[in-house]
Amino acid sequence: MTGAREGREEPGGSDRLYGRLKEFEGCAAATAGVGKDLVNEPMIRHWCEAMGDTGPAYTGPEAIAPPTMLQAWTMGGLSGHTDRSRAYEDLFALLDGAGYTSVVATDCEQEYLRPLRPGDRITFDAVIESVSERKTTKLGTGYFVTTRMDVRAEGEPAGTHRFRILKYTPAAVKRSRRGGRSLRPRPVINRDNAGFWQGVAEHRLLIQRCGECATLRFPWLPGCNGCGCQEWDTVEASGEGTVFSYVVMHHPSFPAFSTSAEGGPYAVALIGLAEGVRMVGNVIGVPYDKVRTGMPVRLEFLRTDPELELPVFRGGEG
């Protein structure tokens, strides 16, 4: 209890906690971890189906696992991890005790050294690579913690996975000037999707097109799922589409996601665009209980507040 009180920092005050957090850098986060399953074809198939990845390298007698599955073979599943080190647990207990109880994943970096094949047994070690100084973000104030996992397959180096999270104290909820209404969460804009959001600002819905095989893809990715080419351009969607599937959000109530400001219910749909790709968006213009699979929709751009405009889809009851 004393440690928790000493760790708590006042906003704008000296960051005594940072010195204690830095002591964890270089400490093991997991040692001699073992993947719960061998690399196997069913998991590869499920991954490819979920990601829409039809690469020929992932099927057949010489199949390999998609490189981006590197972390999947090390995950703890519903039963959780049993290989976390004492240092890792102590670091997070210190942050929690100091009031930084919320967590969000921010980014990851992977390096691939060896293809993974069905039957490979995965082992790994992880280290607490770095803890940042205290940072203030739109989510709140906290510390970025980066862990590095070194993955082996049958004892051979297979890849490196760096994972960064923010442990933070949430900022006060921002309100707009119009009736105190909550604002929608802001989209995460990075170097891979900045062009999409620039198109939205210009009232254009842009779809990536591979520079090698001309395959269209959405959401935006740095490379083609079909041929792996990293060159691409864009095509502008016509705005025509149909509801492929949908859900109606009843609870909890989020007024920011409802055009009526009543907090719901409201419909969220997976829209099949005329160009052959799908995207998620709100369906507007019809009552939530009138949305149906196969309903034709038309693209619009909805300004939800002075700083945010989003693509949405207007349905027709006919």
Side-chain angles (χ1 to χ4, degrees):
M1 292 298 293
T2 301
R5 290 178 182 273
E6 289 177 351
R8 187 176 292 277
E9 300 290 334
E10 294 300 324
S14 62
D15 191 2
R16 295 188 303 273
L17 178 62
Y18 178 57
R20 300 176 64 189
L21 298 175
K22 289 285 287 184
E23 295 175 2
F24 289 91
E25 291 187 345
C27 293
T31 303
V34 179
K36 290 191 172 182
D37 297 284
L38 301 179
V39 176
N40 62 84
E41 294 179 357
M43 286 179 67
I44 293 172
R45 184 179 70 253
H46 294 322
W47 174 280
C48 290
E49 289 178 356
M51 302 301 291
D53 194 338
T54 58
Y58 311 136
T59 59
E62 302 298 323
I64 63 172
T68 48
M69 287 188 75
L70 182 68
Q71 185 195 20
W73 310 109
T74 70
M75 299 181 78
L78 293 177
S79 58
H81 289 279
T82 59
D83 49 26
R84 299 298 195 194
S85 71
R86 177 63 182 271
Y88 186 89
E89 300 291 349
D90 287 349
L91 170 62
F92 281 80
L94 181 60
L95 286 163
D96 288 341
Y100 302 99
T101 54
S102 296
V103 61
V104 63
T106 60
D107 61 283
C108 71
E109 301 173 10
Q110 293 185 338
E111 180 182 8
Y112 311 118
L113 305 175
R114 171 198 186 280
L116 302 181
R117 298 180 175 84
D120 282 342
R121 178 163 295 282
I122 301 301
T123 56
F124 56 91
D125 296 304
V127 64
I128 302 167
E129 190 169 66
S130 65
V131 182
S132 75
E133 296 180 356
R134 187 173 56 197
K135 305 289 186 180
T136 298
T137 72
K138 289 185 177 180
L139 288 176
T141 298
Y143 299 84
F144 289 93
V145 179
T146 303
T147 55
R148 187 191 75 242
M149 180 180 291
D150 297 311
V151 181
R152 297 176 296 277
E154 300 299 326
E156 300 178 1
T160 299
H161 175 79
R162 282 184 174 84
F163 191 64
R164 187 173 295 110
I165 65 169
L166 173 65
K167 283 284 286 179
Y168 67 101
T169 299
V173 177
K174 186 177 181 182
R175 303 281 180 175
S176 73
R177 294 188 180 91
R178 293 180 294 179
R181 182 179 173 186
S182 299
L183 299 179
R184 288 200 187 198
R186 286 12 220 169
V188 176
I189 301 177
N190 55 39
R191 62 186 178 184
D192 293 328
N193 66 13
F196 169 78
W197 290 106
Q198 179 60 41
V200 170
E202 300 169 355
H203 287 190
R204 303 168 65 213
L205 184 62
L206 299 179
I207 304 170
Q208 280 183 310
R209 177 173 59 190
C210 176
E212 181 67 26
C213 67
T215 298
L216 300 182
R217 63 179 185 262
F218 193 90
W220 282 36
L221 296 169
C224 177
N225 283 334
C227 69
C229 177
Q230 295 184 345
E231 300 297 324
W232 54 270
D233 60 7
T234 61
V235 297
E236 183 176 354
S238 67
E240 302 293 339
T242 57
V243 174
F244 181 81
S245 64
Y246 68 96
V247 296
V248 175
M249 300 298 297
H250 291 268
H251 182 81
S253 176
F254 286 118
F257 283 86
S258 172
T259 55
S260 66
E262 296 174 354
Y266 55 90
V268 181
L270 181 62
I271 304 297
L273 297 178
E275 290 71 22
V277 299
R278 297 171 185 154
M279 69 174 291
V280 175
N282 282 116
V283 177
I284 65 172
V286 294
Y288 68 87
D289 57 353
K290 298 297 184 181
V291 176
R292 294 289 184 270
T293 299
M295 172 184 285
V297 293
R298 176 73 186 177
L299 172 71
E300 291 185 8
F301 293 91
L302 174 68
R303 182 164 293 282
T304 64
D305 62 66
E307 299 176 354
L308 183 64
E309 196 164 18
L310 296 172
V312 296
F313 295 89
R314 182 170 293 278
E317 295 186 58

